[in-house]
Amino acid sequence: MTVPDPVIELRSVAKAYPVAGGSFTALRPTDLAVSAGEFVTVVGRSGSGKTTLLNLLAGIDPPSGGSVSVAGRRVDRLTGSALASWRGRSIGLVFQFFQLLPTLTVAENVMLPMDFCGTGRPRERRARAMALLDRVGIADQAAKLPAALSGGQQQRAAVARALANDAPVLLADEPTGNLDYATSERVLELFAGLAAEGRTVVMVTHERDVARHATRRIRLLDGAVVADSATPAQAAASAGSAGATGTAAAR
Amino acid sequence: MTALRWRKLGRDLWRSRGRTVAMVVSIALSVAAVGALLTVRAILDREVSANYLAGRPASATLHLAEPVGGAGAARAEMLALAAAQPGVTATALRGTVVARVRVDGGPWRAMVIFVAPTDDPRRLAAAPVEAGSWPPAAGQVLVERTALPYLGVTVGQRVQVRVAGGPPAQLTVAGTVHDAGVAPAYQERTVYARATTTSVAALGAPATALDELLIGVGAGTGGTEADAARVGATAQQVATALAAAGHRVTRVDVPPPLRHPHYGQMVTVGWVMLAFGSAALLLSSVLVATMLGGLVSAQVRQIGAMKAVGATTGQLFALYLSLAAVIAVAATALAVGPSLLLGRVMAAQAASLLNLDLSSTAVPGWVGLVTLAAGIVVPVVVAVPPLLRGSRLSVREAIDDHGAGGDQGRSARAVGWLARLPGLGREVTLGLRNLVRRPGRTALTVALLAVAGALFVTGLNAATGWDALVGNGIATRHYDLEVRLAQPVPAETLRRQALAVPGVTAAQAWPREPVSVARPGTADTTAEYPDEAHGSFALLAVPPDTPLIQLPVRSGRWLRPDDGDALVLTSLAAQRQLPGAVVGDQVRLTVAGRLTTWRLVGIVADFGSQATAYVSPTGYATALPGAGTTASMVRVVTSAPDAAGRAAVLDRLTQALDSDGVPVQSVLAIDDLRAALDGHVFVLIEALVAVALLIAVVALLGLAAIMSTAVTERTRELAVMQVVGATPGALRATVLTEGLLTAGLALVVAVVAAVPLTALFGSVVGRSAFLEPLPFQFSPAPVLTWSVVSLLGAAAATLGAAQAAGRLTVRQALTVL
């Protein structure tokens, strides 16, 4: 049985920033591999390097050393228009503060990535946007401006936008940071569903109780990975599937 | 650009519609100004030429030593001789008489009568008749139309006219002509009239002498010759032919071909206004670029979001450049119609001032194209750098932006230093800190406002400078009245006759002769216009220590009592009659028909006079033996305290001289000279004030939009201030203070910059129009005016942004992307 190539692969990736009097190491040399269908949470205190890691995956920051491969491309070798184009097609980004454009309707915000990357025919884009909004449960808000939506609705619109170009990888930076518990749960269920479809979801979070939705938890401390383990949910799922397999084998 | 991006662009513009309107209006105003000025130039260039040519002006005038009188056969022979010369397309025999005119016993006014034979076919130098008919009957004249309001008469009214050496005569104003070749009567303080030898016979022989042969010279390609050298050469050929036939030519006048006498001033006004209009367009473009840069800065997070979802730098640059283009196109579309309308109105006003008829106000296509290009291309090109900068922001930079912005290095130190300044007050401290936080933006805003302020102050200073130039010209004259004679008379007698008039306290009588630059082997050639004023050249013999004139020396020296052949030229004479002459040169002049040689010892400024050469009485007597004790001009000082008093003394003086049989040719009060000079420059002054105001409006619109942008950028910060206790009033005061501090800083820079700018501008423009730099004038009034305008305007312009800041709710602010 062959092991599929990881969708995300970091090899000795490090990131340091120049500061007065020297440099500050935000991320120490790190190796990391994430496969398709994984829902990975990256946790740690402020300043542990979580957002730095996410930015490296999204190509927002170039690494100081090592290589970053995401969705089959060496991200650390991409610049300018090539990087923007790759990001639009391969990565869906979800931010803590939603980052929806205020003068575009919700549907138009979802259409924006398709517009910039030229994906799909123009006439089909609105239909796809509506389908995505329906999937995240806010199709009835399509014609409104973001300011008219609640925080949860805006974040779901942002998730729909992140899926506009059918990106295989979703990167989320504190997506539930501004949401109440119930809304957060719905967003996390959404992410879990996307991962179950085979997408790779990496989410940076402060919150401790997202473990039941994620399949893997990576903990960072002072720029280094100090823990990388399956979550209880994943462990239970793996045990369940192993038991079933064993039963089947026994049969 | 896709439909989605156009929608975003349109909604962004609508969302910041106040700022959008400010940008559009500021560009529209300056585009309208540029378009209007180009329209005026285009119309006037065409119509001035058309008007001038409608009068079929002569290319040259040959002054004959002896008038041609007697039977028509002699005239016909001379005309045929001239017409036979190569290049001559038309000929006419005329006379020009300098006279005086008055209405109902009022003051005498200068008059020039262009006299033609009764049977003149009017193929040359024939101003179109507007009222009445040609030829006028005996005892009638046709006057140039601007003379009617100047004299206060109507067609049919009688006026008293007198020529030197002739009896006074009552003539009827039988109609009017439109003579575009002369300046309006009120500007030159002279009535121009047309008559025949028959119609002015009552004025006596001097009025009916035909001693000028006019010729028209054609260009090889058809039309009138525009090359003065070729015209001069043709005229010399005619002079030679006439001399061979026994008709001596004493002088040839070749005025600048096809050019109105005030062409130089019109060109200067045109260029000045176009320069200021272009400066306003550039200023508004830079302001708009700054505002757009601010708008892009306010959308930093949106840029980050768009780049995060796949937008390239090129796509974003195209988006924002389209924004600039939309604003530029909208502004230009708004401006084109008004610019044409305004241009036509201005052209009509200018035409009225120049005594022109506009046969057409059609605007050539190139004006529209240039206006469109200027209005669209200039703002877009100027907007490229800030838009490119904004578009190039990385996702990281964009997402990390927290709205406050600013260089955290040097500005942080400056902010720290400011924090330690005692007694400034919270609003001033915050305002200063905000200015320092974005040094580049502040520097640009201050620079733009300072440029506007400097141009405004310079414009008004130049207007004052024009006025001072006139004032200085008058101030060099320490006399009140001047009387010129048609022939010389004993000088001492003339002086005593003048002193005998009540109200006259001092008098000096000087020889004065028309002169021309001598060129052996040819007839002397001048650039004098037919109006006997523009382009003329005269020689005056004055006592070196005369108190009646004190002319500033530009190079060399003034006359000395022991001077023999020393000659001093006015700047106008040196530049126009003897271009390239320097102190020390030998100068040969024809004076009263004699060849004389002089040594140039100095050049003086004499604004307001014709080109003049000054010599000492000794030198004059040596050059013209027997003429040293005669005079043809007397200048008089009176005890009159005002213009009315001086006019009364002039009237008495004229009457006395007339009674004594002195051949008075013209009279002039210093007040009339002042009025004439003012009439030449007030158009320039008004033009400068108008463009200065335009620049002020553009600058204040820009400040309004910039402050609005600054508030938008700091929305979150202002919301946080509310959270920690700032009242809406406090927020408004902070924003208002920042606007006033910006305007205050710009004011200081503007005043400093205006000093060299005023000097430079005055030098360039003054020399261009009148061959003299404008006196450096830096009066407090323009500075005070700009201070009030800019500070009040800044307060008003900032008010909108300040009100918006005070109205923000915390919730609104914190949810702003």
Side-chain angles (χ1 to χ4, degrees), chain B residues 6 9 13 20-21 23-29 31-32 322-338 372 375-377 379-380:
Chain B
W6 279 116
L9 191 155
L13 285 174
T20 303
V21 167
M23 287 192 274
V24 169
V25 170
S26 71
I27 291 191
L29 278 176
V31 170
S322 300
L323 191 70
V326 164
I327 290 168
V329 168
T332 304
L334 204 62
V336 167
L372 281 173
I376 294 173
V377 172
V380 170

Side-chain angles (χ1 to χ4, degrees), chain A residues 16-63:
Chain A
Y17 296 101
V19 295
S23 68
F24 165 71
T25 301
L27 190 71
R28 299 171 199 280
T30 299
D31 293 322
L32 181 66
V34 181
S35 301
E38 287 199 76
F39 180 359
V40 180
T41 58
V42 180
V43 300
R45 293 179 185 171
S46 291
S48 60
K50 310 187 298 296
T51 300
T52 301
L53 176 65
L54 206 71
N55 287 347
L56 289 169
L57 295 178
I60 291 173
D61 269 335

Side-chain angles (χ1 to χ4, degrees), chain A residues 111-119 125 165, chain B residues 2-5 315:
Chain A
M111 289 161 61
L112 202 61
M114 297 182 245
D115 188 81
F116 281 127
C117 296
T119 52
R125 290 174 188 165
N165 286 332
Chain B
T2 61
L4 179 60
R5 290 176 228 171
Q315 287 172 324

